Amino acid sequence: MKALANQLKKLRKARAFTQKQLALQLGISESAIGMYERDEREPSLPLLLKLADLYDVSLDELFERSRPLPQEVMEDSTLYETAELNELLKNLQNADAKEIRKLLDLWVILRA
């Protein structure tokens, strides 16, 4: 799962943790962190949950997993021609994980 390995390394570096600091915080060995980041070993589910909590991201974000847009949205080109959507997409490129999480939480509320 190369995506997970890359994401774990990216999230650790974004928070300025060394592998040793992260290992101490999680109660595991520094070598285990290195193996996870090199895709030589996969973390257990309880450890994945700890990492998601520590980095304030969802499990989907840890695995860089996203759901595709529904077909009717993909086919409606007028949705992509609004200034608001273009501004949102531009801002999302620079958003951090916390901002994106807030946006997703708001989206769930709006869809209800």
Side-chain angles (χ1 to χ4, degrees):
M1 292 197 184
K2 197 66 172 166
L4 174 62
N6 291 336
Q7 186 71 335
L8 290 175
K9 187 173 187 175
K10 183 173 98 177
L11 289 167
R12 177 181 58 80
K13 288 186 171 198
R15 274 122 180 120
F17 286 141
T18 64
Q19 287 183 344
K20 185 174 188 171
Q21 289 169 328
L22 181 59
L24 287 171
Q25 191 151 2
L26 296 171
I28 61 175
S29 70
E30 184 179 348
S31 64
I33 299 292
M35 286 188 276
Y36 299 145
E37 291 182 0
R38 290 189 304 273
D39 198 29
E40 295 172 357
R41 189 169 149 188
E42 291 181 15
S44 66
L45 180 57
L47 184 57
L48 287 169
L49 293 170
K50 281 184 182 179
L51 286 162
D53 287 344
L54 177 68
Y55 293 140
D56 193 29
V57 297
S58 68
L59 288 178
D60 282 340
E61 290 171 284
L62 272 184
F63 286 91
E64 293 186 312
R65 181 177 173 266
S66 62
R67 297 179 193 269
L69 290 171
Q71 190 63 32
E72 63 269 15
V73 172
M74 297 299 292
E75 292 171 355
D76 185 354
S77 63
T78 62
L79 292 172
Y80 303 105
E81 296 170 4
T82 66
E84 293 87 356
L85 180 60
N86 288 330
E87 184 68 21
L88 173 64
L89 294 174
K90 184 176 131 187
N91 288 326
L92 278 175
Q93 291 176 346
N94 300 319
D96 62 22
K98 228 176 206 176
E99 291 171 320
I100 292 171
R101 170 63 28 218
K102 286 179 186 175
L103 181 61
L104 292 173
D105 290 344
L106 179 59
W107 177 251
V108 168
I109 292 168
L110 290 173
R111 290 180 58 193

